[in-house]
Amino acid sequence: MKYSKQREQILNIINNSYDHPTAYMIYEKVRKDIPNISLGTVYRNLNSLCTNKQIRRLAIPNDNDRFDKINNHFHLYCVSCHNVIDLNNGLLLEFDKIIKDNFDFEVLSNDLVFSGICHDCKEGKEEKLWN
């Protein structure tokens, strides 16, 4: 993949982000440094970065795709506030072991997203970000 300033900026935003940004959120951040960038350029670069396995796309049912750095973890998605939360713990290792032991299958990556309602939304504390 050929170097581009735009692609490097997009990759840096994703690798330094913990909010699993959408393409539009990334576009808004990139525009601060590269004001003439188009949303189409952001989408093309995101697709290239995903194809080259430098980032991962999180397909969220009935919502915009999100983008994340490459590392092996699950995600929790709140259908109320639309937050995406990383789930990093021993569950992933246990899940991989169950699959290997029961199906003789080695997991190389996953795209598992659990949809539900987060604690703050259940308690009425979370502001509705997207409604």
Side-chain angles (χ1 to χ4, degrees):
M1 179 185 309
K2 191 166 86 170
Y3 172 82
S4 88
K5 180 180 177 181
Q6 294 95 338
R7 192 174 302 117
E8 180 182 13
Q9 183 81 11
I10 291 166
L11 184 59
N12 285 337
I13 288 169
I14 294 166
N15 283 334
N16 293 304
S17 174
Y18 294 94
D19 61 352
H20 307 87
T22 64
Y24 191 78
M25 292 164 71
I26 294 165
Y27 167 69
E28 287 293 314
K29 289 179 182 179
V30 173
R31 278 187 44 196
K32 292 176 184 173
D33 292 325
I34 309 171
N36 62 341
I37 194 167
S38 71
L39 184 56
T41 298
V42 171
Y43 274 108
R44 279 189 297 281
N45 280 288
L46 287 169
N47 286 331
S48 293
L49 290 166
C50 287
T51 299
N52 287 298
K53 302 195 183 314
Q54 291 180 277
I55 61 171
R56 64 193 270 191
R57 179 187 317 269
L58 304 176
I60 306 293
N62 303 315
D63 204 345
N64 295 312
D65 288 350
R66 303 294 187 94
F67 297 90
D68 198 7
K69 52 187 108 12
I70 296 288
N71 58 12
N72 212 9
H73 60 275
F74 298 146
H75 292 93
L76 305 175
Y77 171 71
C78 179
V79 298
S80 180
C81 66
H82 303 266
N83 284 333
V84 177
I85 303 159
D86 287 337
L87 181 57
N88 294 313
N89 65 24
L91 287 176
L92 183 60
L93 295 173
E94 187 64 27
F95 192 69
D96 286 352
K97 183 179 179 342
I98 290 169
I99 290 173
K100 185 174 184 172
D101 291 350
N102 290 294
F103 301 98
D104 192 26
F105 186 88
E106 183 180 351
V107 176
L108 301 176
S109 67
N110 73 71
D111 290 317
L112 189 56
V113 177
F114 294 95
S115 295
I117 299 174
C118 71
H119 172 77
D120 287 345
C121 287
K122 285 192 326 188
E123 298 293 319
K125 298 175 190 170
E126 184 64 44
E127 203 177 300
K128 304 296 186 265
L129 301 175
W130 301 87
N131 297 332

